[in-house]
């Protein structure tokens, strides 16, 4: 068949001089207008995108930041940056800083600080261009509908208008709800329904402190103690807590301990045999910790070195307002590989022991090879009192075992392979409110944490051993007095709202909310608001330190564009980092 002949005859073009009908143009314009209206309605009432401007919610959410890889332990982390530390070419200053606008930072894993100079050392890899903050999506309509089901809930990450100017969008974590009295004590959140508080205490808290009065307290000592009896600790939800655990040490990134001799100020965390290095059956010299029993005695290792404190690698160390504070709420997490096959006979009395200590309170766990789990609490003269016991079949499977042991919000619990096996009851362990109010939490003896691991007659390997600490909401803060308005504010330099000895009454109508940043040492939040926007002043019903209900925008729920990858050091971060796109908790 002829190829040319087989081609179809081309149709002749048809030309017309007819113009579109007026109705067609109008319909097109109306469709475009409707599309814009729907887009604006969607943005105004359903979902809106925001950019995180600062690091007050670090390390979970990043503001403007850069990446750094520690040259000692090889751990990579983010740190916040300020415009003052950027050169004209937008390159970060590194090396010796000479106090000319550098950034003072420490590794969150090993504590290395640049050979004692507290700066980004040139021996470590640093991203030399800064990244903008995380871009997030905020769900708005549930808060507009409100109610018990859809309205704001404690531990939500929320976006709202800054009460100090009425324009800036702030992002914090919601920790206080309308209709309750709230007080931050020893780093934890305590609250009670306002209706359950004695009337004289409610009346005192409903009045602001007397301006200019150096004795700022609205409650006397007797009222403080009576209020404390009504307050209960507000435990975090499991979902929120996953964002509030902050790394203290991950043994997968083991630091070079030889630097302890050459750099006297370097005190990294490391696992050390309690009986001394000589003769110990524990070996923590590699990222995999091994126990090879040579006798039938129990032996322990303890995490020593840098204490567990509320330090943030994200923060400029030189900008921290006060010294770090000991944190007693910690979690020990690892994967256990029992090596029973290496023994000629499976031991019947082999066991793994775990111990957490917060101040003078210690809780010990014993996991036996037959699956029995026993929780004990040492008492006077070292005599242990059994609190509870449980059962697990994890050893029987012969597979790796995920173990999490935590002391959190006055509750100690053990989870094996994600399932809670044993935990304390309030009758076993609860806060002593009188002691918490009478002694300052800066007395580190009462909140210092200790983490220990022991074993007996059980060959094992521990991998991915990590210790995290909980967020610590500070009370050692004052109302802001640095801004022009703050200098004339009668409450400037008063203790923070809602902090220890200065509780706050959150009204039910109009509703008041109390919000704090996860990065407590460097978060200007409800604790420190002293200025008030003209809009709220005109309303006449605003209470310092709160977010009015009508200033709530919505709940942050997704990081849709974290800091991206670059083609080179001098190009913008245009490649999406899909691995860090995540649900906000």
């Amino acid at each position: 068949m002829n190829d040319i002949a087989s081609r179809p005859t081309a149709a002749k073009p048809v030309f017309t001089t007819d113009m579109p009908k007026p109705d067609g143009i109008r319909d097109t314009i109306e469709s475009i207008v409707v599309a814009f209206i729907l887009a604006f309605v969607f943005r105004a009432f359903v979902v809106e995108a925001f950019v995180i401007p600062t690091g007050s919610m670090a390390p979970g959410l990043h503001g403007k930041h850069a990446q750094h890889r520690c040259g000692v332990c090889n751990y990579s982390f983010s740190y916040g940056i300020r415009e003052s530390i950027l050169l004209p070419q937008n390159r970060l200053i590194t090396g010796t800083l000479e106090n000319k606008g550098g950034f003072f930072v420490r590794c969150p894993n090993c504590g290395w600080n640049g050979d004692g100079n507290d700066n980004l050392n040139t021996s470590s890899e640093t991203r030399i261009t800064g990244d903008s903050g995380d871009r997030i999506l905020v769900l708005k309509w549930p808060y507009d509908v409100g109610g018990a089901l859809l309205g704001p809930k404690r531990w939500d990450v929320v976006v709202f208008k800054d009460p100090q100017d009425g324009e800036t969008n702030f992002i914090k974590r919601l920790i206080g709800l309308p209709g309750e009295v709230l007080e931050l004590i020893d780093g934890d959140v305590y609250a009670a329904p306002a209706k359950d508080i004695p009337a004289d205490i409610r009346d005192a808290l409903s009045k602001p402190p007397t301006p200019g009065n150096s004795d700022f307290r609205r409650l006397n000592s007797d009222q403080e103690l009576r209020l404390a009896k009504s307050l209960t600790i507000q435990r975090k939800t499991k979902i929120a807590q996953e964002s509030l655990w902050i790394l203290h040490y991950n043994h997968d990134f083991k630091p070079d301990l030889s630097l302890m001799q050459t750099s006297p100020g370097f005190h990294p965390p490391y696992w050390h045999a309690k009986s001394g290095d000589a003769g110990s059956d524990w070996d923590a010299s590699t990222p995999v910790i091994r126990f090879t029993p040579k006798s039938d005695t129990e032996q322990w290792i303890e995490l020593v070195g840098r204490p567990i404190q509320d330090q943030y690698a994200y923060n400029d160390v030189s900008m921290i307002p006060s010294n770090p504070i000991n944190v007693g709420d910690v979690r020990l997490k690892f994967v256990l590989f029992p090596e029973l096959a290496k023994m000629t006979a499976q031991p019947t009395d082999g066991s793994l022991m775990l111990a957490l200590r917060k101040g003078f309170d210690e809780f010990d766990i014993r996991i036996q090879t037959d699956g029995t789990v026993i929780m004990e609490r040492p008492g006077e003269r070292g005599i242990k009192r059994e609190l509870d016991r449980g059962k697990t079949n994890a050893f029987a499977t012969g597979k790796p075992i995920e173990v999490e042991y935590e002391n959190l919000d006055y509750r100690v619990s053990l989870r094996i392979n994600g399932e809670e096996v044993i935990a304390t009851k309030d009758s076993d362990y609860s806060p002593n409110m009188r002691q918490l109010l009478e002694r300052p939490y800066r007395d580190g003896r009462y909140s210092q944490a200790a983490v220990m691991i022991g074993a007996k007659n059980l060959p094992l390997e521990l991998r991915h051993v990590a210790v995290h600490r909980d967020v610590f909401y500070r009370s050692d803060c004052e109302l802001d007095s640095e801004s022009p308005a703050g200098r004339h504010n009668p409450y400037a330099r008063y203790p923070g709202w809602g902090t220890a000895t200065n509780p706050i009454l959150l009204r039910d109508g109009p509703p008041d909310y109390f919000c704090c940043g996860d990065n407590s040492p460097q978060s200007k939040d409800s604790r420190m608001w002293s200025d008030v926007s003209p809009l709220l002043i005109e309303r006449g019903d605003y209470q310092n330190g709160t977010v009015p209900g009508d200033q709530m925008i919505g709940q942050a729920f997704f990081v849709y564009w974290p800091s991206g990858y670059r083609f080179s050091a001098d190009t913008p971060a245009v490649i999406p980092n899909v691995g860090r796109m995540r649900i906000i908790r």
Side-chain angles (χ1 to χ4, degrees), residues 222-412:
D222 174 68
Q223 289 174 319
E224 287 181 355
L225 289 176
R226 285 193 288 123
L227 172 61
K229 293 179 180 179
S230 301
L231 297 175
T232 57
I233 192 167
Q234 302 301 303
R235 296 189 171 108
K236 307 169 192 69
T237 63
K238 184 178 179 181
I239 292 177
Q241 186 60 52
E242 285 305 313
S243 296
L244 294 172
W245 284 123
I246 300 170
L247 179 69
H248 175 69
Y249 177 59
N250 186 335
H251 196 65
D252 286 347
F253 301 89
K254 188 177 181 299
D256 182 1
L257 298 182
S258 65
L259 289 172
M260 295 175 63
Q261 285 73 43
T262 58
S263 299
F266 182 49
H267 301 289
Y270 63 97
W271 291 99
H272 182 73
K274 292 187 67 175
S275 58
D277 289 329
S280 174
D281 294 340
W282 284 99
D283 180 9
S285 61
T286 70
V288 178
I289 299 177
R290 294 181 173 86
F291 180 72
T292 307
K294 302 180 181 64
S295 66
D296 60 356
T297 60
E298 66 178 46
Q299 298 185 41
W300 292 79
I301 54 174
E302 181 177 5
L303 189 65
V304 297
R306 179 166 57 92
I308 300 176
Q309 298 177 322
D310 69 334
Q311 295 178 328
Y312 289 77
Y314 193 92
N315 296 345
D316 185 339
V317 175
S318 65
M319 297 292 291
I320 293 179
S322 55
N323 295 327
I325 297 170
N326 288 338
V327 179
D329 286 10
V330 297
R331 177 182 68 176
L332 170 64
K333 186 176 181 179
F334 56 85
V335 179
L336 167 65
F337 288 76
E339 296 189 309
L340 300 178
K342 293 185 178 181
M343 302 195 68
T344 56
Q346 181 170 323
T348 57
D349 61 346
S351 57
L352 169 70
M353 290 87 72
L354 309 173
L356 294 178
R357 184 189 305 138
K358 177 181 180 180
F360 301 107
D361 297 315
E362 180 177 325
F363 296 87
D364 299 347
I365 288 285
R366 182 179 298 270
I367 309 172
Q368 299 178 171
T369 52
D370 64 358
T372 303
V373 181
I374 303 172
M375 177 182 286
E376 299 175 314
R377 185 173 186 178
E380 296 181 0
R381 301 178 182 178
I383 300 175
K384 293 185 177 182
R385 176 171 63 93
E386 182 176 317
L387 299 179
D388 200 2
R389 62 173 56 207
K391 195 76 173 180
T392 178
N393 64 350
F395 279 98
T397 64
K399 299 179 180 179
I401 305 167
E402 296 181 2
V403 179
E404 295 178 72
Y405 186 37
E406 66 185 32
N407 184 343
L408 175 66
D409 296 336
Y410 286 92
R411 186 175 187 270
V412 181

Side-chain angles (χ1 to χ4, degrees), residues 24-72:
I25 296 176
R26 185 183 64 189
D27 290 344
T28 301
I29 293 174
E30 287 179 352
S31 298
I32 295 174
V33 171
V34 169
F36 273 105
I37 292 174
L38 291 176
F40 281 115
V41 169
F42 186 84
R43 178 180 180 273
F45 298 104
V46 183
V47 173
E48 186 173 356
F50 292 87
V51 179
I52 304 295
T54 68
S56 68
M57 290 294 290
L61 295 172
H62 295 157
K64 195 167 187 177
H65 68 284
Q67 293 291 121
H68 182 65
R69 185 178 298 279
C70 178
V72 174

Side-chain angles (χ1 to χ4, degrees), residues 390-435:
K391 195 76 173 180
T392 178
N393 64 350
F395 279 98
T397 64
K399 299 179 180 179
I401 305 167
E402 296 181 2
V403 179
E404 295 178 72
Y405 186 37
E406 66 185 32
N407 184 343
L408 175 66
D409 296 336
Y410 286 92
R411 186 175 187 270
V412 181
S413 64
L414 174 74
R415 285 192 296 275
I416 295 180
N417 292 333
E419 180 181 351
E420 185 171 279
V421 177
I422 199 168
T424 58
K425 299 180 287 292
D426 288 343
S427 57
D428 300 323
Y429 187 37
S430 59
N432 186 322
M433 300 303 293
R434 178 182 290 271
Q435 288 185 0

